[in-house]
Amino acid sequence: ETGVTQTPRHLVMGMTNKKSLKCEQHLGHNAMYWYKQSAKKPLELMFVYSLEERVENNSVPSRFSPECPNSSHLFLHLHTLQPEDSALYLCASSEGLWRSGANVLTFGAGSRLTVL
Amino acid sequence: GEDVEQSLFLSVREGDSSVINCTYTDSSSTYLYWYKQEPGAGLQLLTYIFSNMDMKQDQRLTVLLNKKDKHLSLRIADTQTGDSAIYFCAESIRRRYSSASKIIFGSGTRLSIRP
Protein backbone atom coordinates (compact mmCIF):
# COMPACT_ATOMS: atom_id res chain seq x y z
CA GLU A 1 0.00 0.00 0.00
CA THR A 2 1.28 3.46 -0.84
CA GLY A 3 0.54 6.95 0.45
CA VAL A 4 -0.51 7.96 3.94
CA THR A 5 -3.05 5.77 5.74
CA GLN A 6 -4.98 6.83 8.82
CA THR A 7 -7.03 4.63 11.13
CA PRO A 8 -9.68 4.71 12.32
CA ARG A 9 -11.53 6.91 9.81
CA HIS A 10 -14.23 7.66 12.38
CA LEU A 11 -14.08 7.61 16.17
CA VAL A 12 -16.68 8.46 18.79
CA MET A 13 -15.49 8.62 22.36
CA GLY A 14 -16.62 9.80 25.75
CA MET A 15 -14.68 12.35 27.74
CA THR A 16 -13.25 9.69 30.06
CA ASN A 17 -12.10 7.30 27.34
CA LYS A 18 -8.56 6.68 26.12
CA LYS A 19 -8.08 6.05 22.42
CA SER A 20 -5.37 6.38 19.80
CA LEU A 21 -5.21 7.54 16.20
CA LYS A 22 -2.74 5.83 13.93
CA CYS A 23 -0.93 7.07 10.83
CA GLU A 24 1.30 5.07 8.52
CA GLN A 25 3.28 6.18 5.48
CA HIS A 26 5.08 4.05 2.91
CA LEU A 27 6.68 6.89 1.00
CA GLY A 28 10.10 6.79 2.63
CA HIS A 29 9.51 10.25 4.12
CA ASN A 30 11.43 11.51 7.13
CA ALA A 31 8.96 14.04 8.54
CA MET A 32 5.44 13.42 9.87
CA TYR A 33 2.80 15.84 11.08
CA TRP A 34 -0.51 16.01 12.93
CA TYR A 35 -2.94 18.76 11.93
CA LYS A 36 -6.37 19.55 13.37
CA GLN A 37 -9.10 20.65 10.96
CA SER A 38 -12.11 22.44 12.44
CA ALA A 39 -14.85 24.08 10.40
CA LYS A 40 -14.11 27.65 9.28
CA LYS A 41 -10.75 27.74 11.06
CA PRO A 42 -7.22 27.57 9.67
CA LEU A 43 -5.70 24.13 9.56
CA GLU A 44 -3.94 23.93 12.91
CA LEU A 45 -0.47 22.40 13.14
CA MET A 46 -0.24 20.29 16.29
CA PHE A 47 2.98 18.28 16.15
CA VAL A 48 5.89 17.73 13.80
CA TYR A 49 8.37 14.87 13.91
CA SER A 50 11.59 14.77 11.95
CA LEU A 51 13.52 11.49 11.95
CA GLU A 52 11.40 10.34 14.91
CA GLU A 53 12.30 13.39 16.98
CA ARG A 54 9.60 15.90 17.91
CA VAL A 55 10.56 19.29 16.53
CA GLU A 56 7.30 21.18 16.92
CA ASN A 57 4.71 21.22 19.66
CA ASN A 58 2.30 24.06 19.07
CA SER A 59 0.95 24.63 22.59
CA VAL A 60 -1.25 21.57 22.32
CA PRO A 61 -3.02 20.47 25.53
CA SER A 62 -1.44 17.51 27.28
CA ARG A 63 -4.58 15.43 26.71
CA PHE A 64 -3.10 14.93 23.21
CA SER A 65 0.07 12.85 23.32
CA PRO A 66 1.98 12.03 20.11
CA GLU A 67 4.27 9.07 19.58
CA CYS A 68 6.58 8.36 16.66
CA PRO A 69 8.19 4.93 17.13
CA ASN A 70 9.81 4.99 13.67
CA SER A 71 9.79 7.14 10.57
CA SER A 72 6.83 5.26 9.05
CA HIS A 73 4.41 5.41 11.97
CA LEU A 74 2.85 8.20 13.98
CA PHE A 75 0.28 7.95 16.73
CA LEU A 76 -1.88 10.46 18.55
CA HIS A 77 -2.95 9.21 21.96
CA LEU A 78 -6.13 10.78 23.31
CA HIS A 79 -7.35 10.90 26.90
CA THR A 80 -9.93 12.91 28.84
CA LEU A 81 -10.86 14.92 25.76
CA GLN A 82 -13.41 17.74 25.65
CA PRO A 83 -16.31 18.15 23.20
CA GLU A 84 -14.46 21.08 21.58
CA ASP A 85 -11.74 18.59 20.55
CA SER A 86 -14.19 17.12 18.03
CA ALA A 87 -12.61 17.68 14.62
CA LEU A 88 -10.93 16.00 11.67
CA TYR A 89 -7.37 15.02 12.55
CA LEU A 90 -5.10 14.89 9.56
CA CYS A 91 -1.75 13.18 9.36
CA ALA A 92 0.79 14.20 6.74
CA SER A 93 4.32 13.32 5.76
CA SER A 94 7.05 14.98 3.72
CA GLU A 95 10.53 14.10 2.52
CA GLY A 96 12.12 16.17 5.25
CA LEU A 97 12.14 19.49 7.04
CA TRP A 98 15.68 20.35 6.13
CA ARG A 99 15.49 20.27 2.36
CA SER A 100 16.19 23.43 0.45
CA GLY A 101 13.32 23.01 -1.99
CA ALA A 102 9.56 23.01 -1.56
CA ASN A 103 8.34 21.02 1.43
CA VAL A 104 5.41 19.18 -0.14
CA LEU A 105 3.06 17.43 2.28
CA THR A 106 1.21 14.21 1.49
CA PHE A 107 -1.93 13.92 3.59
CA GLY A 108 -3.97 11.01 4.81
CA ALA A 109 -7.76 11.06 4.55
CA GLY A 110 -8.12 11.99 8.20
CA SER A 111 -9.73 10.57 11.33
CA ARG A 112 -13.07 12.19 12.17
CA LEU A 113 -13.25 12.42 15.97
CA THR A 114 -16.43 13.10 17.92
CA VAL A 115 -16.20 13.62 21.66
CA LEU A 116 -19.47 13.23 23.54
CA GLY B 1 3.43 36.92 12.61
CA GLU B 2 2.29 33.71 10.98
CA ASP B 3 -1.15 34.15 9.49
CA VAL B 4 -2.73 33.02 6.24
CA GLU B 5 -6.18 34.40 5.40
CA GLN B 6 -8.73 33.33 2.81
CA SER B 7 -12.40 33.99 2.25
CA LEU B 8 -14.53 31.01 3.26
CA PHE B 9 -16.79 30.65 0.24
CA LEU B 10 -16.81 31.21 -3.52
CA SER B 11 -19.56 30.35 -5.99
CA VAL B 12 -18.99 30.40 -9.75
CA ARG B 13 -20.91 29.35 -12.82
CA GLU B 14 -19.75 26.26 -14.68
CA GLY B 15 -17.40 27.25 -17.50
CA ASP B 16 -16.39 30.55 -15.90
CA SER B 17 -13.01 31.22 -14.29
CA SER B 18 -12.65 30.93 -10.52
CA VAL B 19 -10.23 33.16 -8.65
CA ILE B 20 -9.39 32.22 -5.08
CA ASN B 21 -7.43 34.78 -3.09
CA CYS B 22 -5.12 34.50 -0.12
CA THR B 23 -3.07 36.90 1.98
CA TYR B 24 -0.20 35.99 4.24
CA THR B 25 1.78 37.93 6.79
CA ASP B 26 5.23 36.38 7.04
CA SER B 27 7.69 38.10 4.72
CA SER B 28 10.17 35.24 5.06
CA SER B 29 7.95 32.85 3.12
CA THR B 30 10.01 30.71 0.77
CA TYR B 31 7.31 28.76 -1.04
CA LEU B 32 3.55 29.21 -1.31
CA TYR B 33 1.19 26.36 -2.04
CA TRP B 34 -2.32 25.55 -3.11
CA TYR B 35 -3.91 22.36 -1.85
CA LYS B 36 -7.32 20.90 -2.75
CA GLN B 37 -9.54 18.90 -0.40
CA GLU B 38 -12.41 16.88 -1.83
CA PRO B 39 -15.20 15.55 0.43
CA GLY B 40 -14.04 12.76 2.72
CA ALA B 41 -10.42 13.10 1.68
CA GLY B 42 -7.23 14.69 2.89
CA LEU B 43 -5.53 17.63 1.24
CA GLN B 44 -3.82 17.11 -2.09
CA LEU B 45 -1.16 19.40 -3.52
CA LEU B 46 -2.31 21.28 -6.61
CA THR B 47 0.66 23.52 -7.27
CA TYR B 48 3.27 25.69 -5.57
CA ILE B 49 5.33 28.74 -6.41
CA PHE B 50 8.74 29.88 -5.24
CA SER B 51 8.67 33.28 -3.57
CA ASN B 52 10.94 34.93 -6.16
CA MET B 53 8.47 34.15 -8.98
CA ASP B 54 5.36 36.16 -9.72
CA MET B 55 3.44 33.72 -11.90
CA LYS B 56 3.17 30.02 -12.57
CA GLN B 57 0.86 28.32 -15.05
CA ASP B 58 -0.06 24.65 -15.12
CA GLN B 59 -2.81 23.69 -17.58
CA ARG B 60 -6.05 25.27 -16.25
CA LEU B 61 -4.34 26.63 -13.14
CA THR B 62 -2.60 30.00 -12.90
CA VAL B 63 -0.92 31.15 -9.70
CA LEU B 64 -0.14 34.83 -9.20
CA LEU B 65 2.09 36.08 -6.42
CA ASN B 66 2.39 39.70 -5.35
CA LYS B 67 5.16 39.57 -2.81
CA LYS B 68 5.00 43.28 -2.00
CA ASP B 69 1.34 42.98 -0.96
CA LYS B 70 1.77 39.41 0.35
CA HIS B 71 -1.10 38.30 -1.88
CA LEU B 72 -1.46 34.96 -3.63
CA SER B 73 -4.21 33.91 -6.00
CA LEU B 74 -5.26 30.75 -7.80
CA ARG B 75 -7.17 31.04 -11.04
CA ILE B 76 -8.99 27.99 -12.39
CA ALA B 77 -9.98 28.41 -16.02
CA ASP B 78 -13.15 26.80 -17.41
CA THR B 79 -14.35 25.68 -13.98
CA GLN B 80 -16.03 22.27 -13.97
CA THR B 81 -18.22 20.49 -11.42
CA GLY B 82 -15.25 18.31 -10.52
CA ASP B 83 -13.49 21.42 -9.25
CA SER B 84 -15.94 21.64 -6.33
CA ALA B 85 -13.76 21.32 -3.25
CA ILE B 86 -12.09 23.29 -0.48
CA TYR B 87 -8.92 25.08 -1.60
CA PHE B 88 -6.22 25.79 0.96
CA CYS B 89 -3.48 28.35 0.65
CA ALA B 90 -0.28 27.63 2.59
CA GLU B 91 3.10 29.23 3.12
CA SER B 92 6.41 27.65 3.95
CA ILE B 93 8.60 29.67 6.27
CA ARG B 94 12.08 29.06 7.56
CA ARG B 95 12.11 29.35 11.31
CA ARG B 96 14.54 31.73 12.88
CA TYR B 97 17.94 30.20 13.68
CA SER B 98 16.92 27.06 11.87
CA SER B 99 16.87 25.84 8.32
CA ALA B 100 13.86 23.63 8.99
CA SER B 101 10.68 24.74 7.25
CA LYS B 102 7.24 25.15 8.78
CA ILE B 103 4.00 25.05 6.77
CA ILE B 104 1.16 27.39 7.77
CA PHE B 105 -2.30 26.90 6.24
CA GLY B 106 -5.30 29.14 5.81
CA SER B 107 -8.88 28.17 6.67
CA GLY B 108 -9.70 27.07 3.13
CA THR B 109 -12.11 28.46 0.52
CA ARG B 110 -15.07 26.28 -0.35
CA LEU B 111 -15.66 26.50 -4.10
CA SER B 112 -19.11 25.61 -5.33
CA ILE B 113 -20.13 25.40 -8.98
CA ARG B 114 -23.58 26.36 -10.19
CA PRO B 115 -24.98 25.21 -13.52
Side-chain angles (χ1 to χ4, degrees):
Chain A
E1 191 175 341
T2 58
V4 178
T5 305
Q6 291 187 242
T7 53
R9 291 295 308 277
H10 299 272
L11 178 63
V12 179
M13 59 188 288
M15 288 192 282
T16 56
N17 290 159
K18 286 186 182 181
K19 297 283 184 184
S20 296
L21 306 181
K22 180 182 175 183
C23 177
E24 193 171 349
Q25 57 95 4
H26 300 280
L27 301 166
H29 288 172
N30 290 320
M32 295 188 79
Y33 310 74
W34 280 116
Y35 280 89
K36 177 182 179 183
Q37 184 178 9
S38 305
K40 301 179 184 176
K41 288 186 182 178
L43 211 60
E44 183 184 334
L45 178 63
M46 299 176 73
F47 301 104
V48 182
Y49 277 82
S50 174
L51 296 170
E52 301 138 52
E53 181 183 333
R54 192 189 309 178
V55 297
E56 188 82 38
N57 179 352
N58 264 6
S59 303
V60 179
S62 59
R63 56 186 185 267
F64 295 91
S65 173
E67 180 191 359
C68 187
N70 55 62
S71 59
S72 299
H73 294 85
L74 185 65
F75 295 89
L76 189 63
H77 303 301
L78 318 167
H79 62 98
T80 58
L81 294 192
Q82 305 297 311
E84 60 264 28
D85 297 322
S86 299
L88 182 69
Y89 289 84
L90 291 164
C91 174
S93 69
S94 69
E95 288 188 21
L97 296 181
W98 309 93
R99 297 177 68 248
S100 58
N103 188 17
V104 175
L105 302 183
T106 301
F107 282 85
S111 293
R112 171 73 61 188
L113 173 66
T114 303
V115 182
L116 301 176
Chain B
E2 300 170 353
D3 232 357
V4 176
E5 294 190 359
Q6 307 176 236
S7 54
L8 291 177
F9 301 99
L10 177 66
S11 175
V12 299
R13 196 179 302 277
E14 188 175 2
D16 286 353
S17 291
S18 306
V19 180
I20 303 171
N21 294 302
C22 168
T23 56
Y24 59 97
T25 54
D26 199 304
S27 57
S28 64
S29 295
T30 53
Y31 286 87
L32 294 118
Y33 309 79
W34 284 104
Y35 282 81
K36 177 183 181 183
Q37 184 181 32
E38 295 183 347
L43 281 68
Q44 184 178 17
L45 179 73
L46 275 180
T47 186
Y48 63 85
I49 187 168
F50 187 44
S51 58
N52 70 351
M53 297 171 63
D54 51 23
M55 187 181 97
K56 181 178 180 181
Q57 187 150 2
D58 184 0
Q59 299 183 329
R60 291 192 298 124
L61 305 179
T62 304
V63 178
L64 295 178
L65 174 60
N66 181 329
K67 199 169 181 182
K68 174 175 162 288
D69 294 338
K70 298 191 183 72
H71 182 266
L72 182 75
S73 68
L74 173 70
R75 178 176 178 269
I76 305 173
D78 186 25
T79 310
Q80 302 298 309
T81 53
D83 295 323
S84 294
I86 303 175
Y87 290 81
F88 288 87
C89 170
E91 61 172 339
S92 176
I93 55 177
R94 293 283 172 189
R95 292 175 289 171
R96 193 179 296 180
Y97 309 124
S98 165
S99 61
S101 69
K102 184 176 176 179
I103 312 292
I104 307 296
F105 284 83
S107 54
T109 299
R110 183 178 295 274
L111 176 65
S112 60
I113 317 301
R114 54 184 195 273

